[in-house]
Amino acid sequence: MYKTQLLKAPQFKQQALNLRSLSQSAPCKKFGEIPLAPPDKILGISEAYVNDSNPNKINLGVGAYRDNSGKPIIFPSVKEAEKILLQKETEKEYTGINGSKNFQNIVKNFIFNNSGKDANGKQLIDDNRIVTAQTISGTGSLRVIADFLNRFYSSKKILVPKPTWANHVAVFKDAGLEPEFYAYYETSKNDLDFDNLKKSLESQPNESVVLLHACCHNPTGMDLTNEQWDEVLQIIQDKKFFPLVDMAYQGFASGKPFQDIELIRKLTKLANENKIPSFALCQSFAKNMGLYGERTGSISIITPNADASKAIESQLKKLIRPIYSSPPIHGSKIVEVIFDEQSGLLPQWLEELDKVVGRLNDVRQKLYEKLDKSNYNWDHLLKQRGMFVYTGLTPEQVQKLRNEYSVYATEDGRFSISGINENNVDYLANAINEVIKN
């Protein structure tokens, strides 16, 4: 039987006891007794925005791209890919439990081999040390790996940065893991809290799972430097942590996907050196291809050896089958067409993505220039990367923006800058200046 830190024999007896205790936890006898769940904070912002009659209202809540007119877009390369599919697609059959093999290979080559630029990633692929499964976007991949770790990994503790995407904690808890925060951001300084980040990781038990944001940290937009990553990865080695990397925004830091994954390159090198023999990556094309509703993503697990890969792939299939049987195919087929050399769409998509990120950076700069700096330091806005700015505004100030100016954002002061454009940046800056002044 394959044995490693990653896989451990399931404790069937204990699992049975856990299931029995769940079934005895005083369930509701009638549907009328089911308590009302609180609304999702981010989606609730969108609902409130829709119901607001103020013509100047601004939605800065949901992290989905909008153009300079405030409208959602479809990448032209995606449209072209769909035209090709319309002409050439001959069936809508189920794909495999782990998804399309072609899609899996594209993900491996795109991320780990960097399309031929990363020798360490290529070595892992050649050695059959990467197991990739197509999933239901990034959230689906997070849930799959969380369930997998709950079943097979030696520790249920997962360390997540404070703050992090709110759904991280919900996904991990529902899968049976035990999330605990590690220091990441100092709100009083609007900057990374790197010294305490290292101390808090060093204080945790060996073999814990640790969640890392590959780039464009959500919600702060503050990423570690290459030198800081080296220090964190040394701690991970010393503590024998299992790294779980979430990469929802590849390309949104620099506009160039290959430049945004230095952390992945560092991890593939350490995997080849057997210093961090195993890690996992959750990835999505929702943002960088605009395939939000297509739910197109993947989970990749880097394993110690080819035999381990066989065991892990078999268990992934066994786990996925009773959840959703197999992933949707339309989004993955779009990805396959774009990466097909015959379509010629890959350079076009990369150029489109670069322009999208360029607009976001221009808007970030314009907002910064229009903000009053006489009684508040806004320099952190220019250090942050990606789709968000972490303003440092208090919940009371955010609420005042909503009540008095119809500006909708999350209570932690995270703004989705894709909701800002040339038509509303003056109004937004003035609203913020008034709130800060008062």
Side-chain angles (χ1 to χ4, degrees), residues 8-304:
K8 88 173 180 178
Q11 302 298 317
F12 294 112
K13 184 175 180 181
Q14 185 60 47
Q15 286 180 356
L17 287 172
N18 291 342
L19 288 171
R20 192 179 303 128
S21 65
L22 277 174
S23 66
Q24 296 173 351
S25 59
C28 297
K29 295 180 180 179
K30 300 177 182 179
F31 282 123
E33 297 176 359
I34 297 175
L36 184 67
D40 182 274
K41 292 182 178 179
I42 295 178
L43 298 182
I45 290 170
S46 294
E47 292 176 6
Y49 168 83
V50 169
N51 295 326
D52 193 323
S53 60
N54 186 344
N56 295 317
K57 64 183 180 180
I58 304 175
N59 186 0
L60 304 177
V62 178
Y65 181 74
R66 299 291 183 264
D67 64 14
N68 197 50
S69 301
K71 304 294 184 182
I73 69 166
I74 299 177
F75 280 58
S77 55
V78 169
K79 274 289 191 185
E80 289 300 317
E82 289 185 306
K83 289 178 183 177
I84 293 172
L85 279 176
L86 184 63
Q87 295 298 320
K88 294 187 175 181
E89 193 176 37
T90 58
E91 46 80 20
K92 294 286 188 182
E93 295 293 307
Y94 294 120
T95 188
I97 296 173
N98 277 6
S100 160
K101 287 291 183 184
N102 187 23
F103 177 82
Q104 294 170 31
N105 290 333
I106 285 169
V107 168
K108 290 178 186 178
N109 187 56
F110 177 52
I111 296 174
F112 298 101
N113 190 20
N114 288 334
S115 297
K117 300 175 184 177
D118 187 346
N120 285 302
K122 184 178 185 304
Q123 189 64 54
L124 291 175
I125 294 171
D126 291 345
D127 292 343
N128 195 24
R129 287 183 58 190
I130 304 179
V131 175
T132 297
Q134 181 185 336
T135 58
I136 303 178
S137 203
T139 306
S141 65
L142 286 163
R143 181 56 189 256
V144 167
I145 190 59
D147 280 331
F148 182 86
L149 292 170
N150 184 42
R151 293 186 184 192
F152 298 110
Y153 189 60
S154 57
S155 172
K156 294 191 185 303
K157 176 170 283 192
I158 180 165
L159 312 174
V160 300
K162 185 177 183 180
T164 193
W165 181 45
N167 211 24
H168 277 143
V169 171
V171 169
F172 298 145
K173 278 186 175 180
D174 277 6
L177 299 181
E178 300 166 2
E180 185 169 324
F181 286 110
Y182 64 87
Y184 190 86
Y185 192 82
E186 177 52 64
T187 53
S188 64
K189 298 179 180 178
N190 286 319
D191 206 350
L192 281 171
D193 190 10
F194 190 61
D195 287 339
N196 282 325
L197 185 157
K198 291 186 292 183
K199 290 176 183 177
S200 60
L201 287 179
E202 290 169 340
S203 69
Q204 295 294 336
N206 287 1
E207 298 188 4
S208 299
V209 182
V210 59
L211 177 71
L212 308 173
H213 293 227
C215 61
C216 304
H217 178 272
N218 183 2
T220 70
M222 295 290 288
D223 293 338
L224 274 62
T225 65
N226 285 336
E227 294 74 22
Q228 288 171 330
W229 274 126
D230 288 336
E231 293 185 57
V232 168
L233 290 172
Q234 186 59 57
I235 296 171
I236 289 173
Q237 293 174 64
D238 295 341
K239 301 291 292 185
K240 296 181 173 58
F241 289 160
F242 180 84
L244 169 56
V245 183
D246 188 5
M247 188 167 70
Y249 296 94
Q250 183 188 8
F252 270 83
S254 66
K256 296 172 177 57
F258 301 118
Q259 291 186 18
D260 287 0
I261 53 174
E262 183 61 30
L263 172 60
I264 309 304
R265 285 191 282 271
K266 291 178 181 293
L267 282 167
T268 57
K269 182 175 185 294
L270 291 168
N272 272 312
E273 295 170 350
N274 205 36
K275 294 178 178 177
I276 299 181
S278 299
F279 66 93
L281 171 71
C282 296
Q283 173 268 347
S284 168
F285 286 105
K287 308 298 191 299
N288 59 19
M289 277 193 187
L291 298 177
Y292 303 101
E294 300 294 355
R295 314 306 291 141
T296 308
S298 69
I299 172 69
S300 292
I301 302 175
I302 286 65
T303 72

Side-chain angles (χ1 to χ4, degrees), residues 330-350:
H330 188 67
S332 62
K333 285 186 176 182
I334 290 171
V335 174
E336 290 173 20
V337 172
I338 288 176
F339 277 87
D340 185 351
E341 290 184 2
Q342 294 183 350
S343 76
L345 292 174
L346 182 58
Q348 179 182 338
W349 167 61
L350 292 172

